[in-house]
Amino acid sequence: MTFKKALSILGIVVIVVSCATNPFTGKKTMAFVSNDQLFPSSFAQYNQVLNESKVITGTKDAEMITRVGQRIAVAAERWLNANGHQGYLEDYKWEYKLIESDQVNAWCMPGGKIAFYTGILPIAQNETGVAAIMGHEVAHALANHGQQRMSSGMLQQLGGIGVAVATGNESPEKQQLWMQAYGLASNVGGMLPFSRAHETEADKIGLYLMAIAGYNPDEAAELWKRMKANSGGQAPPEFLSTHPSNDSRIKNLQSLSSKAKAEAKKFDVTTFRPIN
């Protein structure tokens, strides 16, 4: 089989593969794995993490994580309902946990399972900073980024099989070179830009969600200034990273803040009065 034929087969697979629609952009996205399959797995993994971690309950910080999470979840439902996506969150099982760990990290699994690590709280500094992080992480779940990354990973593997088949008559050394070239090209030219696009998209969606929830979106750029300071400037070049550079991110958040405020004005945010 020729390389061209292998790519043609791969293209047909891409065309017929199941798709989903991102409600925030209206774009079709890859969906090799349905939420019916993804959510139960996500919930099981979340429970495993909780069982293996020290979950903090009953403290002011733990209560803040729950409070912010609930506000972001309600903001998401309000936005989705207002934009014709009623029922989008029907299968979500929201949960918000604070985990004792020095990790500077937070995440939201598909289906609304959220974890914050105590190590990120000093950088968040306050409830509005937590809301900026929470909005971003929830945005990943709402936009089905986990589903898309799984799908793109499967597609990358399928492409690797295509390369292996197309170069089957080559020597083992040449086959290895082809596979290395494919791996580098698919990562730098495909997977990494794909991941950075997700981060930028989640920044925008998260900014809107925090604003609709009653938090000041200006804080998001300030948060990333603190993130940059915490990293000590140690980061790979943007084109080799899964995330946009800190500077790119800060600039983008600053430019979007006024739009997030304008979007929030469409909703009654008086019921979401943050503590600080």
Side-chain angles (χ1 to χ4, degrees), residues 5 22-23 55 66 69 71 84 118 121 134 146 152 162 170-171 199 213 236 245 254:
K5 188 174 182 180
N22 183 329
V55 179
T66 298
R71 288 175 174 168
T118 53
L121 295 182
M134 185 81 73
S152 63
E170 303 284 354
S171 67
E199 292 299 322
S245 70
Q254 288 172 333

Side-chain angles (χ1 to χ4, degrees), residues 5-19 30-32 151 154-159 161-162:
K5 188 174 182 180
L7 288 179
S8 297
I9 293 173
L10 179 60
I12 293 171
V13 172
V14 173
I15 292 171
V16 300
V17 74
S18 298
C19 291
M30 290 185 293
F32 283 48
S151 299
M154 294 168 68
L155 190 61
Q156 185 186 38
Q157 291 179 346
L158 186 61
I161 294 173

Side-chain angles (χ1 to χ4, degrees), residues 56-72:
I56 299 175
T57 59
T59 67
K60 289 184 177 180
D61 284 341
E63 291 171 356
M64 175 180 63
I65 295 302
T66 298
R67 181 171 59 250
V68 174
Q70 290 173 340
R71 288 175 174 168
I72 294 293

Side-chain angles (χ1 to χ4, degrees), residues 31 44 48 70 107 111 116 190 214 253:
Q48 182 177 347
Q70 290 173 340
W107 41 264
F116 261 70
L253 288 168

Side-chain angles (χ1 to χ4, degrees), residues 10 19 22 72 98 102 112 114 119 133 141 152-153 161 165-166 195 200 205 213 259 268-269 271-272 276:
L10 179 60
C19 291
N22 183 329
I72 294 293
L98 178 63
D102 291 334
I114 296 165
I133 298 168
S152 63
I161 294 173
V165 171
S195 181
T200 300
I205 297 169
K259 296 179 181 178
D268 179 11
V269 300
T271 57
F272 295 117
N276 44 32

Side-chain angles (χ1 to χ4, degrees), residues 47-207:
N47 289 333
Q48 182 177 347
V49 170
L50 297 185
N51 290 334
E52 296 173 353
S53 306
K54 182 178 180 180
V55 179
I56 299 175
T57 59
T59 67
K60 289 184 177 180
D61 284 341
E63 291 171 356
M64 175 180 63
I65 295 302
T66 298
R67 181 171 59 250
V68 174
Q70 290 173 340
R71 288 175 174 168
I72 294 293
V74 172
E77 186 170 28
R78 286 181 173 183
W79 190 96
L80 288 162
N81 287 346
N83 287 275
H85 299 285
Q86 294 85 354
Y88 187 83
L89 300 176
E90 183 177 355
D91 295 325
Y92 272 61
K93 307 295 182 184
W94 295 104
E95 198 168 349
Y96 326 91
K97 298 296 183 183
L98 178 63
I99 294 174
E100 185 173 296
S101 172
D102 291 334
Q103 293 183 56
V104 180
N105 198 16
W107 41 264
C108 178
M109 283 188 164
K113 300 297 185 179
I114 296 165
F116 261 70
Y117 295 93
T118 53
I120 203 170
L121 295 182
I123 299 174
Q125 287 191 353
N126 53 44
E127 185 167 327
T128 306
V130 168
I133 298 168
M134 185 81 73
H136 173 89
E137 298 304 332
V138 167
H140 278 307
L142 297 179
N144 295 322
H145 288 166
Q147 181 187 61
Q148 293 175 52
R149 289 178 187 180
M150 287 182 65
S151 299
S152 63
M154 294 168 68
L155 190 61
Q156 185 186 38
Q157 291 179 346
L158 186 61
I161 294 173
V163 172
V165 171
T167 60
N169 294 328
E170 303 284 354
S171 67
E173 292 78 11
K174 285 188 176 181
Q175 274 192 317
Q176 186 177 7
L177 287 174
W178 273 109
M179 291 302 296
Q180 288 175 346
Y182 170 75
L184 179 62
S186 61
N187 274 313
V188 176
M191 298 295 285
L192 293 179
F194 190 55
S195 181
R196 290 195 297 273
H198 281 174
E199 292 299 322
T200 300
E201 188 172 273
D203 279 347
K204 179 179 180 179
I205 297 169
L207 207 64

Side-chain angles (χ1 to χ4, degrees), residues 21-37:
T21 301
N22 183 329
F24 297 93
T25 65
K27 295 179 180 178
K28 294 292 184 180
T29 59
M30 290 185 293
F32 283 48
V33 182
S34 70
N35 284 339
D36 289 342
Q37 299 169 293

